[in-house]
């Protein structure tokens, strides 16, 4: 479709543009009430498609938006997440192979004997933060060390929701500050901010938020119950009785770490790590592969490990559930949901409804606090409506880039706010790609772990608090006829070496 035809289509009124979002939220609420944790098995996908239908009907019936525009936008949007879908399949391969090869059972076996229930939550958050910081990927961190920590937490009697919250908080902290992270690169490039300047500026909001989260996990751990020797014995005995527990299995995580350190792309790392785990399974766990295959065929057992689902009997029902895996097959509902979410986001963009809603938000910008608050609100709203953090980051940056420039604010304030809002809240939304993926990988529903992801919940609030305080938020001098949303301090009040030439600090 040519640009003239696209521009000729009127932008819907914000109240009209909100209808598909309201319908979607309504349908999702009904689905969650009716199906609970099974809502990913078709109900949520149907709700998203109903939202698409409402959006398309309004746009084509009232505003005469041609169907071809929706098709083009859906092709583009789904094409943009195609690599994500392949990564999801590789995550499924990795989770199955790391479990059946004995890697995760070995980590659980030694972890339950070393880690204390009182310090488990804060330790989990710190471990995941370090791994994610080095790897640049919250998804990889959660799918590997996160799954192992969840198993250790279960063995120590820690509630799954708390453990998942600590794992996700740590993983997204590291992802957010890592120069290897795709979201960090995207936020800095979308706003025209130097990567390391963006990371340094993020630390002003990210470090305090993570420290507060660690304090909460520390206090919660102190009030946790004591694990009994019998519980530990059941887990270690059950694992040792089924798997060949060996430190040799930890060569795979070690080699995976080497690949990550050498900045090998995530997709390749996940695939190679899965292959290495498969070889370990053939060498150390042939009896487990035969049990999975139901025959003496190791090749069939390994194929089923990759594809899934798998289940082995340890003699303890709770442990059996822990070490069962979904493989690639376990990711299919998530992939289906992502495709439906991308269709909804594409229809909202193609119809102009996203633009209408964000324009309405921008009109309320009157000061530094309302500017940052509206940016945070837009990032969260786009996560809700488009179902993808990458789309949310790009659209938020595009919407506010000119506003921040006209108001005299630095680009790093916009890039930081995009990450504080769009990156970390994506995992809290059940139909967002991140929320769907982590719920599937950890086996904990999004709404179950949501209240315990303190870092993700506090990050947007911290961004607004810093805006209200005005700590190290700089503005350049504006023309006398430009709007002045906030009074600025004199040059004499500027901290030495900060803000650059001619800047003002608020």
């Amino acid at each position: 479709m040519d640009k003239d035809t696209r521009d000729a289509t009127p932008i819907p009124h914000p109240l009209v543009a909100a209808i598909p979002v309201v319908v979607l939220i309504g349908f999702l609420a009904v689905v969650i009430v009716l199906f609970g944790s099974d809502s990913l098995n078709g109900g949520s996908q149907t709700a998203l498609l109903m939202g698409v239908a409402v959006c398309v009907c309004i746009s084509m019936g009232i505003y005469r938006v041609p169907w071809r525009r929706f098709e083009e936008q859906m092709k583009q949007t789904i094409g943009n997440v195609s690599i994500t879908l392949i990564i999801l399949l590789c995550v499924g391969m990795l989770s199955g192979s790391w479990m059946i090869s004995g890697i995760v059972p070995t980590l659980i076996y030694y972890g339950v004997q070393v880690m204390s229930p009182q310090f488990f939550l804060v330790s989990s958050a710190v471990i995941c933060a370090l791994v994610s910081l080095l790897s640049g990927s919250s998804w990889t961190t959660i799918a590997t060390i996160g799954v192992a920590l969840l198993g250790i937490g279960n063995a120590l009697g820690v509630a799954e929701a708390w453990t998942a919250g600590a794992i996700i908080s740590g993983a997204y902290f590291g992802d957010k500050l890592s120069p290897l992270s795709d979201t960090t690169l995207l936020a800095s490039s979308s706003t025209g901010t130097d990567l390391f300047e963006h990371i340094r500026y993020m630390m002003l909001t990210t470090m305090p938020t993570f420290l507060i989260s660690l304090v909460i996990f520390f206090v919660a751990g102190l009030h946790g119950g004591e694990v009994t020797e019998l519980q530990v014995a059941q887990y270690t005995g059950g694992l040792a009785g089924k798997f060949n527990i060996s430190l040799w299995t930890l060569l795979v995580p070690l080699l995976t770490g080497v690949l990550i350190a050498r900045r090998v792309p995530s997709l390749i790392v996940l695939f190679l790590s899965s292959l290495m785990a498969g070889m370990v399974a053939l060498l150390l766990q042939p009896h487990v592969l035969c049990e999975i295959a139901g025959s003496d065929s190791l090749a069939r057992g390994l194929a089923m490990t990759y594809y899934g689902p798998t289940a082995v009997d340890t003699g303890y029902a709770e442990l059996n559930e822990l070490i069962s895996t979904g493989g690639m097959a376990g990711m299919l509902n998530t992939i289906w949901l992502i495709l439906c979410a991308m269709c909804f986001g594409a229809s909202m963009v193609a119809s102009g409804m996203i633009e209408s809603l964000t324009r309405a938000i921008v009109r309320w910008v009157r000061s530094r606090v309302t500017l940052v608050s509206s940016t945070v609100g837009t990032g969260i709203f786009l996560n809700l409506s488009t179902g993808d953090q990458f789309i949310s980051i790009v659209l938020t940056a595009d919407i506010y880039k000119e506003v921040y420039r006209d108001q005299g604010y630095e680009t790093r304030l916009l890039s930081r706010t995009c990450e504080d809002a769009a990156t970390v809240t994506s995992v809290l939304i059940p139909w967002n790609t991140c929320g769907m993926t982590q719920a599937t990988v950890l086996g904990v529903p999004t709404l179950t772990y949501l209240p315990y992801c303190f870092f993700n919940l506090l990050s947007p609030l911290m961004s607004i608090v810093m805006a209200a305080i005005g700590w190290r938020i700089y503005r350049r001098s504006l023309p006398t006829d430009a709007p002045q949303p906030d009074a600025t301090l004199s040059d004499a009040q500027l901290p030495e070496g900060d803000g650059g030439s001619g800047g003002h600090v608020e």
Side-chain angles (χ1 to χ4, degrees):
M1 178 171 295
D2 58 51
K3 187 177 184 297
D4 292 338
T5 305
R6 189 181 295 272
D7 292 342
T9 306
I11 299 296
H13 188 277
L15 292 178
V16 176
I19 293 176
V21 179
V22 173
V23 169
L24 171 62
I25 293 173
F27 271 107
L28 287 171
V30 172
V31 166
I32 291 171
V33 169
L34 292 178
F35 299 102
S37 60
D38 293 328
S39 58
L40 287 181
N41 298 331
S44 296
Q45 292 90 329
T46 303
L48 284 161
L49 292 179
M50 292 299 293
V52 173
V54 171
C55 179
V56 171
C57 288
I58 292 174
S59 302
M60 295 183 68
I62 300 176
Y63 298 98
R64 305 299 179 189
V65 178
W67 170 248
R68 182 175 177 79
R69 182 186 298 186
F70 292 99
E71 283 187 336
E72 291 174 351
Q73 188 63 50
M74 287 180 187
K75 288 178 184 177
Q76 178 183 341
T77 304
I78 293 174
N80 291 338
V81 299
S82 57
I83 294 298
T84 300
L85 302 182
I86 299 174
I87 287 175
L88 277 174
L89 293 176
C90 285
V91 167
M93 286 180 62
L94 182 129
S95 63
S97 59
W98 272 43
M99 185 66 74
I100 300 305
S101 66
I103 296 171
V104 173
T106 297
L107 289 170
I108 295 174
Y109 180 86
Y110 289 110
V112 296
Q113 299 178 68
V114 173
M115 299 185 77
S116 164
Q118 284 70 33
F119 301 102
F120 172 73
L121 291 175
V122 69
S123 300
S124 297
V126 171
I127 290 170
C128 287
L130 293 174
V131 173
S132 188
L133 187 64
L134 294 173
S135 67
S137 172
S138 56
W139 285 27
T140 302
T141 301
I142 294 170
T144 53
I145 193 66
V147 172
L149 287 169
L150 191 72
I152 295 171
N154 286 340
L156 294 176
V158 181
E160 280 189 339
W162 275 97
T163 305
I167 292 168
I168 291 170
S169 292
Y172 275 80
F173 166 82
D175 188 316
K176 192 179 173 192
L177 290 182
S178 174
L180 305 179
S181 169
D182 44 12
T183 55
T184 304
L185 290 164
L186 185 62
S188 61
S189 61
S190 297
T191 58
T193 307
D194 176 75
L195 174 61
F196 290 100
E197 182 182 5
H198 167 63
I199 292 173
R200 286 192 297 268
Y201 201 56
M202 274 200 300
M203 292 181 71
L204 299 178
T205 57
T206 304
M207 290 302 298
T209 305
F210 190 56
L211 290 175
I212 293 171
S213 302
L214 290 181
V215 170
I216 295 173
F217 288 128
F218 176 74
V219 173
L222 292 179
H223 291 82
E226 292 285 345
V227 63
T228 65
E229 291 186 9
L230 178 60
Q231 288 175 298
V232 173
Q234 286 179 337
Y235 269 76
T236 55
L239 290 171
K242 178 57 62 174
F243 297 93
N244 287 322
I245 301 298
S246 170
L247 293 177
W248 288 109
T249 62
L250 302 185
L251 282 175
V252 176
L254 180 62
L255 292 174
T256 302
V258 172
L259 293 174
I260 290 171
R262 296 182 65 85
R263 301 190 179 185
V264 176
S266 297
L267 182 60
I268 298 176
V269 171
L270 292 170
F271 184 73
L272 291 179
S273 184
S274 300
L275 291 183
M276 290 187 290
M279 289 188 284
V280 170
L282 289 171
L283 292 172
L284 296 179
Q285 320 296 345
H287 58 291
V288 178
L289 293 178
C290 290
E291 181 179 339
I292 292 171
S295 66
D296 293 332
S297 174
L298 295 178
R300 176 179 171 83
L302 184 59
M304 292 180 66
T305 296
Y306 285 139
Y307 181 75
T310 64
V312 294
D313 185 17
T314 63
Y316 300 97
E318 187 177 327
L319 190 56
N320 291 346
E321 184 178 351
L322 174 63
I323 63 175
S324 63
T325 67
M328 287 190 287
M331 292 293 173
L332 294 181
N333 274 335
T334 301
I335 290 174
W336 178 21
L337 193 56
I338 288 173
L339 292 174
C340 294
M342 293 302 97
C343 288
F344 179 77
S347 65
M348 290 291 289
V349 172
S351 63
M353 291 185 179
I354 285 290
E355 183 179 352
S356 173
L357 290 169
T358 51
R359 281 184 182 180
I361 294 172
V362 170
R363 291 194 195 104
W364 292 95
V365 173
R366 294 290 183 271
S367 66
R368 178 183 64 230
V369 177
T370 56
L371 177 60
V372 172
S373 299
S374 63
T375 308
V376 168
T378 301
I380 296 173
F381 166 73
L382 290 173
N383 265 332
L384 286 163
S385 57
T386 66
D388 184 77
Q389 64 176 348
F390 299 106
I391 296 175
S392 302
I393 291 171
V394 172
L395 288 180
T396 303
D398 286 345
I399 290 165
Y400 286 95
K401 191 181 298 183
E402 297 299 322
V403 179
Y404 276 72
R405 188 190 67 182
D406 293 343
Q407 300 271 346
Y409 293 102
E410 296 177 315
T411 58
R412 63 179 182 172
L413 176 60
L414 174 58
S415 64
R416 181 180 77 182
T417 310
C418 285
E419 288 246 62
D420 285 341
T423 298
V424 300
T425 61
S426 57
V427 73
L428 306 178
I429 299 166
W431 57 91
N432 190 283
T433 52
C434 293
M436 291 181 281
T437 299
Q438 308 318 337
T440 303
V441 170
L442 294 174
V444 182
T446 308
L447 296 180
T448 300
Y449 66 64
L450 185 154
Y452 306 97
C453 297
F454 299 108
F455 174 76
N456 307 72
L457 292 168
L458 293 174
S459 286
L461 299 177
M462 184 63 73
S463 195
I464 297 172
V465 168
M466 288 299 183
I469 296 172
W471 186 33
R472 298 192 61 184
I473 295 180
Y474 303 99
R475 292 177 64 219
R476 67 178 185 275
S477 299
L478 297 175
T480 54
D481 58 345
Q484 301 284 343
D486 287 307
T488 58
L489 300 177
S490 65
D491 289 339
Q493 294 171 287
L494 273 171
E496 272 188 38
D498 285 329
S501 176
H504 285 70
V505 61
E506 295 185 339

